[in-house]
Amino acid sequence: MPAVSKGDGMRGLAVFISDIRNCKSKEAEIKRINKELANIRSKFKGDKALDGYSKKKYVCKLLFIFLLGHDIDFGHMEAVNLLSSNKYTEKQIGYLFISVLVNSNSDLIRLINNAIKNDLNSRNPTFMNLALHCIANVGSREMAEAFASEIPRILVAGDTMDSVKQSAALCLLRLNRTSPDLVPMGEWTARVVHLLNDQHLGVVTAATSLITTLAQKSPDDFKTSISLAVARLSRIVTSACIDLQDYTYYFVAAPWLSVKLLRLLQCYPPPEDAALRSRLTECLETILNKAQEPPKSKKVQHSNAKNAVLFEAISLIIHHDSEPTLLVRACNQLGQFLQHRETNLRYLALESMCTLASSEFSHEAVKTHIETVINALKTERDVSVRQRAVDLLYAMCDRSNAKQIVAEMLSYLETADYSIREEIVLKVAILAEKYAVDYTWYVDTILNLIRIAGDYVSEEVWYRVIQIVINRDDVQGYAAKTVFEALHAPACHENLVKVGGYILGEFGNLIAGDSRSSPLVQFNLLHSKFHLCSVPTRALLLSAYIKFINLFPEVKATIQDVLRSDSQLRNADVELQQRAVEYLRLSCIASTDILATVLEEMPPFPERESSILAKLKKKKGPGNLPDIDDSRRNVNGNTEHHEPTETTNKSPPSLMADLLPTNRPRPASSSPIMLSAGTMGSSHPFTDLLNLNSPPAAAPSLLVDVFSDLSAPASVEVSEDNFSRFVCKNNGVLYENQLLQIGLKSEYRQNLGRMYVFYGNKTSTQFLSFSSSVTNGDALKGQLIVHAKSVDPVIDGGAQVQQILNMECVSDFTDAPVLNIQFRYGGALQNIAVKLPVMLNKFFQPTEMTSQDFFQRWKQLGAPQQEVQKIFKSQHPMDTDVTKAKILGFGVALLDGVDPNPANFVGAGVIHTKDTQVGCLLRLEPNTQAEMYRLTLRTSRDSVSQRLCDLLSEQF
Amino acid sequence: MQFMLLFSRQGKLRLQKWYVPLSDKEKKKITRELVQTVLARKPKMCSFLEWRDLKIVYKRYASLYFCCAIEDQDNELITLEIIHRYVELLDKYFGSVCELDIIFNFEKAYFILDEFLLGGEAQETSKKNVLKAIEQADLLQEVSHVG
């Protein structure tokens, strides 16, 4: 029982809450709750009319049960009855229940609204407030319809009590947010503005919020609030702190109201009236001055309240962006905070400075703090603060400090938290490109990115470096030499192999004169990586080899031998096999001239918007990305050049102007290669020999078009190229050929799953009779139920349609369903079958547990058939963060501090199927020296252990 | 402010107040996610974090975490003090408040919050005025109980 029981306690409720707290297990709690629910139900249904007190008590119990997280499907009527009780406590509980558990049952809404109407008309301020709170809490459309015109009347009526005015103002604000169309503007608006002059500061506080919300939507109607707000603010900031009595908070005069007034002023540009403007400037100066005064109290509440007003004032100064002295003072103030002992202030100073960096007046002042910010990046212990430091460095970067900032970000990247690595990679890539004066620096930077954080370098980034190298012939030789040297690292990242393969395939000839990088040495170097790479990279390397055959006739025989080997010509992967066969054939039959034409150097890429920038914007949301627009620097008078200073021979793309389309880089379709393909008899538009522009695994190769008639595929093979990529993630591209791209987004909860399948028509022609269905093999039937919604039979050229698949896992399973797609394209019927990545691990729920629990359960699952172990060689670099991300993506909780060896990974989760739940424990032990892993899984079911082990062991 | 959550160190939700319309399912998901995120943070870390497109402001008082979600334009520090003022109000009302008071008198905790914040905005920041309103209500309550 609580020590204090104010008002009239409900003993039965207290006993019930005590009972619940004493329950030893979740099951016991549910049992107790069900007993109570049955009891309440019978009381409500019973013949005997309940008295108000009992009704209140039971409704309150229901509310408590609901707030514990259980569903409540009755009692609404009883709660509505309480609304019309004339006992205040009963009414109050009734309103609380309605506020928390709104039900859009129309009969009830009518009854509720009736009760509210009665209370609003009661002229009893306490009842009126209850009714207004209820409207504000529920904020539904039905309530807006009933009361949106009534509330303004209450708000501005002369005889309304102050406390009711306050509730009415915020009630109106809530209705305006949820149903703005239903709140009529009218003559009351002018009178609302005058509430800023009200004697009662509580009324002013509430009204300021309302006016701000309304002014954001129709600024012109509320223009008169500017002068009143400035006057009010001025009186507050110049008042002695005792003047405002209880509105003074820890020696700060009305901090909430000040913040709200400053916020209201941010709806408008600086006042045009000179006197008003100077009065506002005085206020802002006073606030800045106060920051320099010694604190009136050591309490953190004092400094927080004072600084809350200060930061809001700085926001207004930045918003106006017109008073250079204020901007520079604001910047200096934030500079002091950068080194403050309060983490909160350092965080906010970094955040606020980000916006200051984009003002022409304060950009230079912000830049003077670069060393402090870099230091923050190195020493802050909280990742959210380091994140702010990265943002600020990005925002303050310009040509004068780009090299330093990029270098610092790169060195931070080595130890950065993996949650923010991808974003840092994007930022470095953008800054390096934007401020590159010499491109050797740019190439070095991107290669460093790949070396340090290869797994976080997205396709956009490495596509981009290749495009820039292709478009700028002054850097091609340097790039070839640099990638050649970088490839010598014993464990170089696969992304580097891709870049290396592409660049040497195009420009290897530029360094072939040096005997240390002769054609044969180059080829051997690339080929030494071949067997460690994934299929798409190998496909890219094969294309680099055919380019080598053209560039270096002297290695033709060596490469032909490689292509001819069984591991190529009879490779299990159809794409690799096809490339090997076709390239070999091409190198044998084509004349030197034809080879030279087909394999000509890539043409420059057209200028488009950078997809890297687009990606960062998408990641951060448009509002959060500091604007590094160049217009600022020009206004700033900085000697910045948009165009690179050195001249280029062919189609000089400005590095600032963006080269790429926002979705996927795709060179112009009229490139010479396509023409040459055309001369060889292909009727399909084809552009990029190395398939830079689409995932190579499923992309068309030039020679498919030359040697086969693709428009009528003979048999349908089930594609499962990308299947294993989805084991640890839920979204991505599942399949792509030259006509169609299939993307997936999926979400799972317990034993249910939903998958959104996106079919994108890559051509400019309609797909007709489009249909897609899901089939389960015999074994899978009964284990997994997949229900596919129907999909539009026509997909326009360039358009995308979506199909929803709902899934239910009945029992554990091993096979995967197959997605069958059929459509007509230009008269020919297309058949595609793709293995859907629905695996058992998708139905995991992670389980956190202590070390003790873990080992206890581990021992319980000690029977030989419950454990499955696999020892295997690592196929990817053994990066701890990547491994963690994969295990989390697999669906289990990662348990820290369980395994005595910190290098090992331990996880736990529960597989939910309709029939049962299977607890699962796993342990992954890396051996970095041997580049091996040992994976152990223990579950209560041998088939589950085996399947999960098979799935997960393929991922490392 | 979009919502306020009070939860214990064990992750038990003690009070939830939503100022934006969300389904029960979404509310549960958000709660689960945020409780986990906030509990995982170390004591000396800053009180603010970015979460989806919102800013989270939180502070721990004894065994309870108070956690508010505000929008991009909102002021973090003043939100921190909203939390503090609410704690002060609870403290004054219950007399040195503890988690148990909020568990057993959850309805009071909601009533006090409604007097202080409405529609996600500060309605009355004077401690005296808020407590006066609540005490008046308690008085009504006792009178009606006797009568």
Side-chain angles (χ1 to χ4, degrees), chain A residues 612-658:
Chain A
I612 305 181
L613 203 57
K615 183 166 176 147
L616 184 64
K617 276 182 189 154
K618 205 167 116 201
K619 221 174 137 51
K620 293 288 281 180
N624 295 334
L625 184 67
D627 184 17
I628 51 168
D629 190 15
D630 299 294
S631 57
R632 176 242 304 161
R633 307 293 148 69
N634 291 342
V635 179
N636 203 0
N638 261 8
T639 50
E640 291 269 341
H641 301 286
H642 285 214
E643 295 296 330
T645 41
E646 58 276 76
T647 50
T648 50
N649 300 342
K650 61 180 176 191
S651 88
S654 120
L655 269 203
M656 322 281 278
D658 295 311

Short mmCIF file of all heavy atoms in Angstrom, two decimals, chain A residues 612-658:
data_model
loop_
_atom_site.label_atom_id
_atom_site.label_comp_id
_atom_site.label_asym_id
_atom_site.label_seq_id
_atom_site.Cartn_x
_atom_site.Cartn_y
_atom_site.Cartn_z
N ILE A 612 24.83 10.18 -54.39
CA ILE A 612 25.34 10.11 -53.02
C ILE A 612 24.64 11.15 -52.17
O ILE A 612 24.17 10.89 -51.08
CB ILE A 612 26.86 10.37 -52.97
CG1 ILE A 612 27.58 9.43 -53.90
CG2 ILE A 612 27.37 10.23 -51.56
CD1 ILE A 612 29.08 9.62 -53.88
N LEU A 613 24.55 12.35 -52.73
CA LEU A 613 23.90 13.44 -52.01
C LEU A 613 22.43 13.08 -51.77
O LEU A 613 21.90 13.28 -50.69
CB LEU A 613 24.01 14.72 -52.83
CG LEU A 613 23.89 16.02 -52.04
CD1 LEU A 613 24.92 16.08 -50.94
CD2 LEU A 613 24.07 17.21 -52.97
N ALA A 614 21.82 12.53 -52.82
CA ALA A 614 20.42 12.14 -52.69
C ALA A 614 20.27 11.12 -51.58
O ALA A 614 19.35 11.17 -50.77
CB ALA A 614 19.91 11.56 -54.00
N LYS A 615 21.21 10.21 -51.51
CA LYS A 615 21.14 9.16 -50.50
C LYS A 615 21.28 9.75 -49.09
O LYS A 615 20.56 9.39 -48.18
CB LYS A 615 22.23 8.14 -50.76
CG LYS A 615 22.17 6.99 -49.79
CD LYS A 615 23.01 5.84 -50.25
CE LYS A 615 22.96 4.77 -49.17
NZ LYS A 615 23.03 3.43 -49.64
N LEU A 616 22.21 10.68 -48.96
CA LEU A 616 22.41 11.29 -47.64
C LEU A 616 21.17 12.07 -47.23
O LEU A 616 20.74 12.01 -46.09
CB LEU A 616 23.64 12.21 -47.68
CG LEU A 616 24.01 12.83 -46.33
CD1 LEU A 616 24.43 11.76 -45.34
CD2 LEU A 616 25.12 13.84 -46.49
N LYS A 617 20.60 12.77 -48.20
CA LYS A 617 19.38 13.53 -47.90
C LYS A 617 18.29 12.60 -47.41
O LYS A 617 17.60 12.88 -46.44
CB LYS A 617 18.89 14.27 -49.14
CG LYS A 617 19.59 15.59 -49.36
CD LYS A 617 19.01 16.27 -50.58
CE LYS A 617 19.81 17.48 -50.98
NZ LYS A 617 19.69 17.78 -52.40
N LYS A 618 18.18 11.47 -48.10
CA LYS A 618 17.14 10.53 -47.75
C LYS A 618 17.39 9.99 -46.34
O LYS A 618 16.49 9.83 -45.55
CB LYS A 618 17.15 9.38 -48.76
CG LYS A 618 15.83 8.68 -48.88
CD LYS A 618 15.81 7.79 -50.10
CE LYS A 618 15.66 6.34 -49.71
NZ LYS A 618 16.11 5.43 -50.72
N LYS A 619 18.65 9.74 -46.06
CA LYS A 619 19.02 9.17 -44.77
C LYS A 619 18.73 10.15 -43.63
O LYS A 619 18.23 9.77 -42.58
CB LYS A 619 20.51 8.86 -44.79
CG LYS A 619 20.86 7.54 -44.13
CD LYS A 619 22.32 7.26 -44.33
CE LYS A 619 22.95 6.73 -43.07
NZ LYS A 619 22.27 5.63 -42.46
N LYS A 620 19.04 11.41 -43.87
CA LYS A 620 18.93 12.37 -42.79
C LYS A 620 17.60 13.09 -42.77
O LYS A 620 17.26 13.70 -41.80
CB LYS A 620 20.04 13.43 -42.92
CG LYS A 620 21.43 12.89 -42.70
CD LYS A 620 21.66 12.56 -41.24
CE LYS A 620 21.97 13.80 -40.44
NZ LYS A 620 22.21 13.46 -39.04
N GLY A 621 16.87 13.00 -43.86
CA GLY A 621 15.66 13.80 -43.96
C GLY A 621 16.07 15.20 -44.35
O GLY A 621 17.08 15.71 -43.88
N PRO A 622 15.29 15.84 -45.23
CA PRO A 622 15.72 17.12 -45.80
C PRO A 622 15.99 18.19 -44.75
O PRO A 622 16.88 19.00 -44.88
CB PRO A 622 14.56 17.51 -46.70
CG PRO A 622 13.42 16.64 -46.32
CD PRO A 622 13.99 15.41 -45.66
N GLY A 623 15.20 18.16 -43.66
CA GLY A 623 15.35 19.21 -42.66
C GLY A 623 16.65 19.10 -41.87
O GLY A 623 17.14 20.07 -41.34
N ASN A 624 17.18 17.89 -41.79
CA ASN A 624 18.30 17.69 -40.89
C ASN A 624 19.65 17.83 -41.56
O ASN A 624 20.68 17.77 -40.91
CB ASN A 624 18.22 16.30 -40.27
CG ASN A 624 17.00 16.19 -39.39
OD1 ASN A 624 16.52 17.19 -38.89
ND2 ASN A 624 16.50 14.99 -39.22
N LEU A 625 19.65 17.94 -42.86
CA LEU A 625 20.93 17.99 -43.54
C LEU A 625 21.39 19.43 -43.61
O LEU A 625 20.73 20.28 -44.17
CB LEU A 625 20.76 17.44 -44.96
CG LEU A 625 22.05 17.34 -45.74
CD1 LEU A 625 22.96 16.30 -45.13
CD2 LEU A 625 21.76 17.01 -47.18
N PRO A 626 22.51 19.69 -42.99
CA PRO A 626 23.00 21.07 -43.07
C PRO A 626 23.21 21.43 -44.53
O PRO A 626 23.68 20.62 -45.32
CB PRO A 626 24.32 21.02 -42.32
CG PRO A 626 24.43 19.68 -41.70
CD PRO A 626 23.42 18.79 -42.32
N ASP A 627 22.83 22.60 -44.83
CA ASP A 627 22.86 23.03 -46.21
C ASP A 627 24.27 23.46 -46.58
O ASP A 627 24.81 24.38 -45.99
CB ASP A 627 21.89 24.21 -46.34
CG ASP A 627 21.77 24.66 -47.76
OD1 ASP A 627 22.17 23.89 -48.64
OD2 ASP A 627 21.29 25.78 -47.96
N ILE A 628 24.88 22.76 -47.51
CA ILE A 628 26.18 23.24 -47.93
C ILE A 628 26.07 23.74 -49.37
O ILE A 628 26.88 23.48 -50.22
CB ILE A 628 27.31 22.21 -47.78
CG1 ILE A 628 26.91 20.89 -48.43
CG2 ILE A 628 27.64 22.00 -46.34
CD1 ILE A 628 28.08 19.93 -48.57
N ASP A 629 25.01 24.43 -49.57
CA ASP A 629 24.76 25.01 -50.88
C ASP A 629 25.83 26.06 -51.19
O ASP A 629 26.28 26.79 -50.33
CB ASP A 629 23.39 25.67 -50.84
CG ASP A 629 22.95 26.09 -52.21
OD1 ASP A 629 23.57 25.60 -53.17
OD2 ASP A 629 22.03 26.89 -52.31
N ASP A 630 26.20 26.10 -52.44
CA ASP A 630 27.32 26.97 -52.79
C ASP A 630 26.96 28.45 -52.81
O ASP A 630 27.83 29.29 -52.73
CB ASP A 630 27.85 26.59 -54.16
CG ASP A 630 28.33 25.17 -54.11
OD1 ASP A 630 29.30 24.92 -53.40
OD2 ASP A 630 27.69 24.32 -54.74
N SER A 631 25.68 28.73 -52.92
CA SER A 631 25.31 30.15 -53.01
C SER A 631 25.82 30.90 -51.80
O SER A 631 26.23 32.04 -51.88
CB SER A 631 23.80 30.27 -53.10
OG SER A 631 23.23 29.64 -51.98
N ARG A 632 25.83 30.20 -50.66
CA ARG A 632 26.28 30.83 -49.44
C ARG A 632 27.71 31.33 -49.59
O ARG A 632 28.05 32.44 -49.23
CB ARG A 632 26.15 29.85 -48.28
CG ARG A 632 26.69 30.38 -46.97
CD ARG A 632 27.85 29.58 -46.42
NE ARG A 632 27.51 28.19 -46.28
CZ ARG A 632 28.45 27.26 -46.18
NH1 ARG A 632 29.71 27.58 -46.26
NH2 ARG A 632 28.11 26.01 -46.06
N ARG A 633 28.56 30.47 -50.12
CA ARG A 633 29.98 30.83 -50.21
C ARG A 633 30.19 32.02 -51.15
O ARG A 633 31.07 32.82 -50.94
CB ARG A 633 30.82 29.65 -50.71
CG ARG A 633 30.63 28.41 -49.92
CD ARG A 633 31.17 28.57 -48.51
NE ARG A 633 30.42 27.79 -47.55
CZ ARG A 633 30.43 26.48 -47.50
NH1 ARG A 633 31.17 25.81 -48.34
NH2 ARG A 633 29.70 25.84 -46.64
N ASN A 634 29.33 32.10 -52.13
CA ASN A 634 29.52 33.20 -53.06
C ASN A 634 29.14 34.53 -52.41
O ASN A 634 29.85 35.50 -52.50
CB ASN A 634 28.69 32.98 -54.33
CG ASN A 634 29.26 31.83 -55.12
OD1 ASN A 634 30.41 31.46 -54.89
ND2 ASN A 634 28.47 31.27 -56.00
N VAL A 635 28.02 34.49 -51.74
CA VAL A 635 27.59 35.68 -51.03
C VAL A 635 28.67 36.06 -50.02
O VAL A 635 28.98 37.22 -49.80
CB VAL A 635 26.27 35.40 -50.28
CG1 VAL A 635 25.84 36.61 -49.51
CG2 VAL A 635 25.20 34.97 -51.27
N ASN A 636 29.25 35.02 -49.47
CA ASN A 636 30.24 35.15 -48.45
C ASN A 636 31.50 35.87 -48.94
O ASN A 636 32.31 36.32 -48.15
CB ASN A 636 30.60 33.74 -48.01
CG ASN A 636 31.16 33.72 -46.63
OD1 ASN A 636 31.29 34.77 -46.02
ND2 ASN A 636 31.49 32.56 -46.17
N GLY A 637 31.65 35.93 -50.22
CA GLY A 637 32.83 36.57 -50.76
C GLY A 637 34.05 35.68 -50.74
O GLY A 637 35.16 36.13 -51.02
N ASN A 638 33.85 34.44 -50.40
CA ASN A 638 34.98 33.52 -50.45
C ASN A 638 35.40 33.27 -51.89
O ASN A 638 34.57 33.22 -52.77
CB ASN A 638 34.58 32.17 -49.85
CG ASN A 638 35.04 32.07 -48.43
OD1 ASN A 638 35.51 33.05 -47.88
ND2 ASN A 638 34.90 30.91 -47.86
N THR A 639 36.69 33.10 -52.11
CA THR A 639 37.10 32.83 -53.47
C THR A 639 36.97 31.35 -53.76
O THR A 639 37.93 30.60 -53.74
CB THR A 639 38.56 33.27 -53.68
OG1 THR A 639 39.32 32.69 -52.61
CG2 THR A 639 38.68 34.77 -53.66
N GLU A 640 35.76 30.96 -53.99
CA GLU A 640 35.48 29.55 -54.27
C GLU A 640 35.23 29.40 -55.76
O GLU A 640 34.63 30.24 -56.39
CB GLU A 640 34.21 29.14 -53.53
CG GLU A 640 34.36 29.09 -52.05
CD GLU A 640 34.78 27.71 -51.61
OE1 GLU A 640 34.60 26.77 -52.40
OE2 GLU A 640 35.30 27.60 -50.50
N HIS A 641 35.69 28.32 -56.29
CA HIS A 641 35.42 28.08 -57.71
C HIS A 641 34.54 26.87 -57.84
O HIS A 641 34.80 25.83 -57.26
CB HIS A 641 36.73 27.84 -58.45
CG HIS A 641 37.66 29.01 -58.32
ND1 HIS A 641 37.46 30.18 -58.99
CD2 HIS A 641 38.75 29.17 -57.57
CE1 HIS A 641 38.42 31.03 -58.65
NE2 HIS A 641 39.21 30.44 -57.80
N HIS A 642 33.52 27.03 -58.59
CA HIS A 642 32.66 25.88 -58.83
C HIS A 642 33.36 24.93 -59.78
O HIS A 642 33.33 23.73 -59.60
CB HIS A 642 31.34 26.31 -59.45
CG HIS A 642 30.45 26.95 -58.44
ND1 HIS A 642 29.10 26.83 -58.44
CD2 HIS A 642 30.77 27.71 -57.37
CE1 HIS A 642 28.59 27.49 -57.43
NE2 HIS A 642 29.58 28.04 -56.76
N GLU A 643 34.00 25.48 -60.77
CA GLU A 643 34.64 24.62 -61.77
C GLU A 643 36.05 24.30 -61.31
O GLU A 643 36.71 25.13 -60.72
CB GLU A 643 34.71 25.38 -63.11
CG GLU A 643 33.36 25.67 -63.73
CD GLU A 643 32.62 24.40 -64.10
OE1 GLU A 643 33.29 23.40 -64.43
OE2 GLU A 643 31.38 24.42 -64.06
N PRO A 644 36.46 23.11 -61.58
CA PRO A 644 37.85 22.80 -61.28
C PRO A 644 38.76 23.75 -62.06
O PRO A 644 38.42 24.16 -63.17
CB PRO A 644 38.01 21.37 -61.79
CG PRO A 644 36.64 20.88 -62.09
CD PRO A 644 35.75 22.06 -62.24
N THR A 645 39.88 24.10 -61.48
CA THR A 645 40.70 25.10 -62.13
C THR A 645 41.43 24.56 -63.36
O THR A 645 41.64 25.28 -64.33
CB THR A 645 41.73 25.67 -61.14
OG1 THR A 645 42.23 24.58 -60.38
CG2 THR A 645 41.12 26.71 -60.25
N GLU A 646 41.78 23.29 -63.30
CA GLU A 646 42.50 22.77 -64.47
C GLU A 646 41.52 22.41 -65.57
O GLU A 646 40.36 22.10 -65.31
CB GLU A 646 43.38 21.57 -64.10
CG GLU A 646 42.65 20.41 -63.49
CD GLU A 646 42.46 20.57 -61.99
OE1 GLU A 646 41.58 21.35 -61.60
OE2 GLU A 646 43.18 19.92 -61.24
N THR A 647 41.97 22.48 -66.79
CA THR A 647 41.07 22.20 -67.89
C THR A 647 41.11 20.71 -68.23
O THR A 647 42.05 20.02 -67.93
CB THR A 647 41.48 22.99 -69.15
OG1 THR A 647 42.86 22.74 -69.33
CG2 THR A 647 41.20 24.44 -68.98
N THR A 648 40.08 20.26 -68.83
CA THR A 648 40.04 18.86 -69.22
C THR A 648 39.76 18.75 -70.70
O THR A 648 39.20 19.66 -71.30
CB THR A 648 38.92 18.14 -68.46
OG1 THR A 648 37.73 18.91 -68.61
CG2 THR A 648 39.24 18.00 -67.01
N ASN A 649 40.14 17.63 -71.25
CA ASN A 649 40.03 17.48 -72.70
C ASN A 649 38.63 17.11 -73.14
O ASN A 649 38.11 17.63 -74.10
CB ASN A 649 40.99 16.41 -73.20
CG ASN A 649 42.41 16.82 -72.86
OD1 ASN A 649 42.66 18.00 -72.59
ND2 ASN A 649 43.32 15.88 -72.86
N LYS A 650 38.05 16.19 -72.42
CA LYS A 650 36.75 15.77 -72.91
C LYS A 650 35.65 16.07 -71.91
O LYS A 650 35.81 15.84 -70.72
CB LYS A 650 36.77 14.29 -73.27
CG LYS A 650 37.10 13.36 -72.11
CD LYS A 650 37.09 11.93 -72.60
CE LYS A 650 37.51 10.99 -71.49
NZ LYS A 650 37.76 9.66 -71.92
N SER A 651 34.58 16.56 -72.40
CA SER A 651 33.36 16.91 -71.66
C SER A 651 33.63 17.13 -70.17
O SER A 651 33.38 16.27 -69.36
CB SER A 651 32.29 15.83 -71.84
OG SER A 651 32.40 14.83 -70.91
N PRO A 652 34.17 18.26 -69.83
CA PRO A 652 34.58 18.46 -68.44
C PRO A 652 33.37 18.56 -67.52
O PRO A 652 32.66 19.55 -67.56
CB PRO A 652 35.32 19.80 -68.48
CG PRO A 652 34.76 20.50 -69.67
CD PRO A 652 34.29 19.47 -70.63
N PRO A 653 33.11 17.57 -66.73
CA PRO A 653 32.01 17.68 -65.80
C PRO A 653 32.48 18.48 -64.59
O PRO A 653 33.56 18.21 -64.08
CB PRO A 653 31.74 16.23 -65.38
CG PRO A 653 33.03 15.52 -65.62
CD PRO A 653 33.86 16.35 -66.56
N SER A 654 31.73 19.45 -64.20
CA SER A 654 32.12 20.12 -62.98
C SER A 654 31.88 19.13 -61.87
O SER A 654 30.88 18.45 -61.83
CB SER A 654 31.27 21.37 -62.79
OG SER A 654 30.57 21.27 -61.60
N LEU A 655 32.81 19.04 -60.98
CA LEU A 655 32.64 18.06 -59.92
C LEU A 655 31.57 18.49 -58.96
O LEU A 655 31.06 17.71 -58.19
CB LEU A 655 33.96 17.88 -59.17
CG LEU A 655 34.84 16.79 -59.72
CD1 LEU A 655 35.78 16.33 -58.65
CD2 LEU A 655 34.05 15.61 -60.25
N MET A 656 31.27 19.77 -58.99
CA MET A 656 30.23 20.24 -58.09
C MET A 656 28.87 19.90 -58.67
O MET A 656 27.99 19.48 -57.97
CB MET A 656 30.29 21.75 -57.91
CG MET A 656 31.66 22.30 -57.85
SD MET A 656 32.34 22.06 -56.25
CE MET A 656 31.65 23.41 -55.43
N ALA A 657 28.75 20.12 -59.96
CA ALA A 657 27.52 19.72 -60.60
C ALA A 657 27.50 18.21 -60.50
O ALA A 657 28.52 17.56 -60.50
CB ALA A 657 27.52 20.12 -62.05
N ASP A 658 26.33 17.67 -60.41
CA ASP A 658 26.30 16.25 -60.10
C ASP A 658 26.09 15.42 -61.34
O ASP A 658 25.37 15.80 -62.23
CB ASP A 658 25.19 16.01 -59.10
CG ASP A 658 25.54 16.73 -57.81
OD1 ASP A 658 26.67 16.56 -57.36
OD2 ASP A 658 24.69 17.45 -57.31
#
